[in-house]
Amino acid sequence: QTHTTRPPEPAEMKEEIQTVGRLKSWLTEPGRLWRTVILQGLDLQSDEALEAQLMEEEPDGAVLIGCSMRPALAEVFAHHAAFIIPPAPAGTGFNPFPVELYSPETLMAGFDPDNPQTYTSSYDWHAYMAAVDPATKLPRRLNVDAMVFQRLHDCSIDDALDEFLHPVVGPEPQVVAIMGGHGLPRRAEIEIVNDGKRQKADAPYMQIAILAWHLARAGYTVATGGGPGAMEAGNLGAYFAGRSEDDLREAVAALSAMPSSSYADWMASAFKIRSTYLRTEADAHIYSLGIPTWFYGHEPPNPFATHIAKYFQNSVREEGLLAIANCGVIFAEGSAGTVQEIFQNACQNFYAPAAKRAPMILFNSDYWNGSSVNLKPSVDLRRPVYPLLQQMAQGRGFAHLISITDSVAEAIAFINAQRKTVP
């Protein structure tokens, strides 16, 4: 017998009910259909009146993800062919069903900045321990149920990130990503030689922070890989967008003087800066994204991002971070990971329709296009990728979207010049 298939019809978007209050409201609506909603992460056993009401329902086509309920109620849903993914068992180490992006407070729950060693008591550390062996820094061999829970977690983060990028109310964010190495030191100033004279200049960390400050004040949502170094500088600059540039400079100077020999100390010093410079009403509309991964568990998340999408799978995280940057990507100096991201982004532009392409800015011309590069990495850490990137772009018609600069003002101007053409 020959079977024919046809493409599935596009699915209608279902409402995701993520609070008990919304569920109670929905249950009062006339003409409601269970097949049009998804219940996520709800406690359906603590409210006896709600439980009794649900026991009388006929929830045909219902979907319940990570909801806790007693066996009798579960039997009602199962009898009506509901699709049920139960909560993870105790000891999983993380919540596989987050209904929203993490905040620094939820991700670092259990950490006390006044006692940095409590980092190993945090939610972030427990999730890392569930995925990676801290001794070898390699992913653990997992049983299939643990693999499933990690995939479900990342799927939930995908969903929460999609809701952030496509809000029901208000405009969609215009995202500029800042990529760069985790090893960029917290430093306010460096000494340079100009016309034979020594003088002070902003350190690369400070430059990235100032760049992000300008971007956030211009209405862009700054997104980074969520870790230390250039990533922290990007989120820090956006965090201060409601304050003066002087405040930001003071914060960077203070950070550079704080202990950071261990990641516990590094995290504690960042939280202390946050407690010194609390967000105000002027910051209420300013958001930034951090998108880190437990794959690099030795790189804890910086706490300056307002929203954190942390993944187990680094491949999903990197592809997604570049893909959401609809207004461009700025590449600060970095090593292998940043070089990979440059060409990953170039690949997206290479194959994307013209309307979906976005600017790429290499920040620090000597680093990305230096002459007479010494091939010994102990002598010269520069990565002269610009000529190859430009050659690829010219052959595919997006060379006008490639820029290389040492100037914060030029980088901002280049992003702004392309703003109207980016959907």
Side-chain angles (χ1 to χ4, degrees):
Q1 184 178 0
T2 301
H3 296 274
T4 59
T5 61
R6 62 178 182 178
E9 294 293 330
E12 293 185 8
M13 295 301 294
K14 300 182 179 182
E15 179 185 355
E16 297 173 6
I17 297 179
Q18 301 171 345
T19 67
V20 169
R22 173 57 189 140
L23 175 59
K24 289 180 177 180
S25 173
W26 181 78
L27 288 170
T28 67
E29 296 178 6
R32 54 186 170 77
L33 297 173
W34 276 95
R35 59 179 172 80
T36 65
V37 296
I38 300 172
L39 275 54
Q40 289 182 280
L42 300 183
D43 176 2
L44 303 179
Q45 58 187 11
S46 296
D47 187 321
E48 293 183 1
L50 175 62
E51 183 182 44
Q53 183 178 2
L54 292 173
M55 291 288 292
E56 301 300 319
E57 289 286 313
E58 296 184 1
D60 297 303
V63 176
L64 298 90
I65 300 176
C67 297
S68 59
M69 68 191 90
R70 279 184 254 269
L73 181 57
E75 186 175 342
V76 170
F77 280 105
H79 179 72
H80 288 273
F83 178 72
I84 304 173
I85 302 178
T92 301
F94 59 93
N95 174 19
F97 310 107
V99 298
E100 58 187 4
L101 297 177
Y102 293 109
S103 68
E105 290 76 17
T106 57
L107 191 58
M108 297 305 299
F111 174 66
D112 179 4
D114 292 327
N115 183 8
Q117 300 313 310
T118 56
Y119 177 49
T120 55
S121 301
S122 68
Y123 175 94
D124 184 64
W125 180 262
H126 290 165
Y128 167 56
M129 290 288 288
V132 179
D133 183 340
T136 65
K137 303 292 193 300
L138 296 175
R140 296 183 186 276
R141 291 189 64 196
L142 301 174
N143 292 315
V144 67
D145 58 341
M147 292 182 190
V148 168
F149 283 128
Q150 287 189 15
R151 302 303 191 274
L152 287 170
H153 171 277
D154 286 2
C155 181
S156 297
I157 290 295
D158 272 346
D159 181 54
L161 183 58
D162 182 75
E163 291 175 357
F164 176 86
L165 296 171
H166 306 285
V168 175
V169 178
E172 296 185 357
Q174 294 185 299
V175 181
V176 176
I178 296 179
M179 318 297 283
H182 67 271
L184 192 69
R186 291 169 167 170
R187 191 173 297 163
E189 292 181 336
I190 56 174
E191 191 174 78
I192 63 172
V193 177
N194 187 15
D195 292 332
K197 298 179 181 179
R198 294 185 178 276
Q199 61 187 55
K200 298 287 187 179
D202 285 341
Y205 184 100
M206 179 69 85
Q207 287 182 310
I208 296 303
I210 296 296
L211 177 55
W213 180 82
H214 281 288
L215 287 169
R217 289 171 70 88
Y220 295 103
T221 297
V222 173
T224 79
M231 297 172 279
E232 181 189 55
N235 289 128
L236 175 67
Y239 181 88
F240 274 80
R243 294 179 175 270
S244 69
E245 182 178 330
D246 287 342
D247 282 344
L248 173 58
R249 289 182 175 278
E250 288 176 4
V252 173
L255 270 176
S256 66
M258 290 180 175
S260 58
S261 57
S262 70
Y263 277 122
D265 288 334
W266 175 87
M267 181 67 72
S269 61
F271 268 95
K272 288 175 182 176
I273 290 296
R274 286 191 49 190
S275 65
T276 302
Y277 300 92
L278 297 174
R279 282 172 63 84
T280 66
E281 290 185 5
D283 307 315
H285 66 289
I286 300 172
Y287 305 112
S288 76
L289 273 170
I291 308 184
T293 173
W294 282 295
F295 182 81
Y296 296 129
H298 58 292
E299 294 182 11
N302 80 72
F304 295 111
T306 59
H307 295 73
I308 302 174
K310 192 157 190 178
Y311 288 89
F312 285 102
Q313 292 295 308
N314 185 50
S315 57
V316 175
R317 166 249 188 182
E318 284 194 340
E319 181 73 15
L321 174 54
L322 293 167
I324 68 171
N326 54 7
C327 287
V329 185
I330 298 169
F331 297 94
E333 59 187 72
S335 192
T338 308
V339 172
Q340 173 184 319
E341 288 157 355
I342 288 174
F343 287 103
Q344 197 168 352
N345 191 205
C347 188
Q348 291 179 351
N349 275 338
F350 192 92
Y351 290 108
K356 294 293 185 181
R357 291 170 173 168
M360 300 175 65
I361 298 176
L362 304 185
F363 195 79
N364 189 332
S365 59
D366 183 60
Y367 189 87
W368 296 117
N369 194 33
S371 58
S372 303
V373 173
N374 193 313
L375 296 182
K376 293 182 179 180
S378 60
V379 177
D380 196 338
L381 296 177
R382 292 177 296 170
R383 312 286 187 231
V385 303
Y386 179 69
L388 176 57
L389 179 62
Q390 187 71 2
Q391 190 269 348
M392 288 177 58
Q394 287 175 350
R396 196 67 173 185
F398 64 97
H400 64 289
L401 294 176
I402 310 296
S403 176
I404 185 166
T405 184
D406 301 304
S407 165
V408 168
E410 287 181 5
I412 299 291
F414 190 76
I415 291 288
N416 285 335
Q418 305 295 331
R419 192 174 197 169
K420 293 182 179 180
T421 65
V422 177

